[in-house]
Amino acid sequence: MNWSYILRHRYFIVIFAACILLGATSALAMKSANTYTDATWKKIIHDDAALEALATKEESIFRESLAEMPPDAGRQFTRDRQYWLNYIERKCGPVARIMHDNEPYTADGMASCLRLEYQNMIDSPQPFIRECDGHRYYTITRQDIRPDRDFIATPQEERSVLASEPDSYTVSLPQLVVTSAQDSRTNAHIRDYAQLGAIEARIAMVNTQENDPYASTDYSSNTDLVVYTDSLLVLDTATFEHGHGAGVAGTGNTSHFYLVKEGRELTAGRVFQSRSQWRTFLSRRAYADLKADGLVSTPPMFDTITSAKQLEKIVAKPRNWRFDIRGLTLLFNYDDLEPGYDKLTTVTIPWNDLRPYLVKDTPILELAQVPVRNPP
């Protein structure tokens, strides 16, 4: 079985048999007015022996891998591939030609782009089906690329080099191999949490909308499965945003806790005793550690946080918590400590120090044996 291909296809999915599948992808994502014709695609692949060989190899690996997958995973894998075919079409064809209008984008340039994407995908082995707490799961991805809105709106003679970067948008999220009704409900919740429906609708739009928050921005969001038991689901999400030409960048790491049987998100009231002054404890502990590291109350760079009280709103949100064998790690993201401070900062509080504040039967105790892991 050739698992070596699959997961990495999220980043380097390539076009095989484009003349057959190109029409199918148009129903899933936008089409550009500059899209190459089917005949052009056929000719580009057929006329380049190296590209044709790579396309043939990719198709063989795809079909072999698909045959080994459970039905629900296979359907998502195929759907992923259709989105990526559209992405590669735009990256190596219409979008590239628009963004490089001073250098006409030729069939040779397109073939060269495709060869690189094929080779990167084939050379990047990772498994598609993985395991978490005895459950099998896989990752699905949606990606979009289009000309930068500001670039299109700017007269050609005034366009800058920075503005000629295309906008990219990538979102990935886990899905369980379904073995029960609970798995199906959990998958639906993950898709809702990741806003998959809105993402697919955005990709389906032909043009960038004026109010699109991701116009003129590279955006990626990777959600990973950390824990899945009969009672608790834990997700880690890492995000990245980069505004073209404006020097704007932002990263974030957040957690998501979902009570599977109850069908609702975990609240702070299910973790900490309401009268235990836990917010004060967490904020003071975090402030002391951050101050010792020179990250607060240290003018002129980190001078926006000058008291533990200012941290209470951050430390009180479950999205800023990560539990593992060490205890509770508090996450401080972009802008939390100082405007423009683009670095994840953490403070870890051991379980023994937390226990006096915890609800006796809190579900979070299940996480006391979770290994330490790096953010996704």
Side-chain angles (χ1 to χ4, degrees):
M1 177 175 62
N2 197 333
W3 292 110
S4 63
Y5 156 75
I6 308 174
L7 183 61
R8 194 60 181 178
H9 85 286
R10 300 178 306 154
Y11 303 104
F12 303 107
I13 286 294
V14 291
I15 296 179
F16 85 98
C19 57
I20 299 175
L21 293 177
L22 185 60
T25 64
S26 62
L28 291 169
M30 83 298 290
K31 285 290 183 183
S32 165
N34 295 319
T35 299
Y36 281 94
T37 65
D38 285 2
T40 302
W41 280 98
K42 291 179 183 179
K43 182 173 176 57
I44 288 172
I45 295 175
H46 180 72
D47 288 354
D48 189 299
L51 176 56
E52 189 170 36
L54 288 169
T56 300
K57 183 174 181 179
E58 189 275 338
E59 179 179 2
S60 176
I61 294 173
F62 171 80
R63 295 187 181 281
E64 180 181 342
S65 300
L66 185 63
E68 298 289 344
M69 290 182 189
D72 54 325
R75 286 190 294 270
Q76 286 291 353
F77 179 55
T78 301
R79 187 168 172 82
D80 261 16
R81 194 165 189 270
Q82 290 172 332
Y83 271 93
W84 278 90
L85 287 170
N86 186 79
Y87 169 79
I88 294 299
E89 174 196 348
R90 292 176 61 80
K91 179 178 180 180
C92 294
V95 168
R97 287 189 297 149
I98 292 173
M99 302 309 295
H100 299 85
D101 55 3
N102 291 327
E103 299 177 11
Y105 202 69
T106 64
D108 287 343
M110 188 172 189
S112 176
C113 175
L114 289 174
R115 285 197 304 272
L116 179 62
E117 298 300 325
Y118 275 112
Q119 196 64 61
N120 284 336
M121 178 275 297
I122 293 172
D123 290 344
S124 303
Q126 288 192 40
F128 184 64
I129 304 292
R130 292 178 284 175
E131 287 198 5
C132 178
D133 297 320
H135 298 271
R136 294 194 299 166
Y137 75 101
Y138 51 93
T139 300
I140 62 176
T141 302
R142 301 291 183 261
Q143 179 159 348
D144 186 19
I145 186 169
R146 62 184 68 198
D148 183 276
R149 182 186 64 184
D150 295 337
F151 178 85
I152 296 174
T154 302
Q156 182 171 334
E157 63 274 11
E158 299 176 14
R159 292 173 180 170
S160 68
V161 174
L162 287 176
S164 66
E165 302 173 13
D167 297 335
S168 64
Y169 183 89
T170 306
V171 175
S172 64
L173 60 145
Q175 291 284 271
L176 300 159
V177 173
V178 175
T179 60
S180 67
Q182 176 177 291
D183 293 343
S184 295
R185 291 192 298 270
T186 301
N187 279 345
H189 173 74
I190 295 172
R191 292 193 298 270
D192 288 344
Y193 165 70
Q195 301 181 323
L196 184 62
I199 291 164
E200 292 179 342
R202 177 187 182 275
I203 292 175
M205 293 181 182
V206 175
N207 299 311
T208 301
Q209 304 300 299
E210 287 298 322
N211 60 348
D212 189 336
Y214 302 109
S216 301
T217 300
D218 287 328
Y219 175 85
S220 67
S221 174
N222 175 32
T223 296
D224 202 4
L225 182 62
V226 179
V227 170
Y228 178 58
T229 67
D230 289 340
S231 58
L232 187 63
L233 168 77
V234 182
L235 304 173
D236 268 359
T237 300
T239 59
F240 173 80
E241 296 182 42
H242 176 261
H244 294 170
V248 176
T251 59
N253 292 86
T254 57
S255 297
H256 180 70
F257 304 91
Y258 182 69
L259 300 171
V260 177
K261 290 184 178 179
E262 299 177 28
R264 60 191 181 92
E265 293 184 30
L266 179 78
T267 62
R270 293 294 301 275
V271 179
F272 293 104
Q273 301 174 44
S274 60
R275 299 182 180 181
S276 66
Q277 299 297 311
W278 62 272
R279 292 180 181 84
T280 301
F281 165 70
L282 294 182
S283 59
R284 287 179 177 176
R285 183 64 171 268
Y287 184 78
D289 283 16
L290 293 170
K291 186 174 183 180
D293 291 338
L295 296 178
V296 292
S297 300
T298 309
M301 292 192 65
F302 304 105
D303 56 352
T304 59
I305 301 296
T306 57
S307 70
K309 184 71 174 177
Q310 292 173 278
L311 297 177
E312 283 195 10
K313 289 184 178 180
I314 299 172
V315 303
K317 296 178 181 179
R319 63 183 279 119
N320 295 322
W321 300 345
R322 178 175 292 131
F323 290 94
D324 56 38
I325 196 170
R326 298 171 301 178
L328 167 61
T329 296
L330 299 170
L331 309 176
F332 298 93
N333 286 293
Y334 181 70
D335 275 349
D336 281 347
L337 300 180
E338 191 258 350
Y341 184 56
D342 187 21
K343 182 180 180 181
L344 176 67
T345 304
T346 62
V347 172
T348 299
I349 303 174
W351 283 105
N352 286 341
D353 295 344
L354 290 174
R355 292 187 190 280
Y357 302 91
L358 296 177
V359 173
K360 184 178 180 180
D361 61 346
T362 175
I364 222 70
L365 290 174
E366 292 185 30
L367 306 180
Q369 300 303 317
V370 172
V372 177
R373 65 193 301 273
N374 293 323

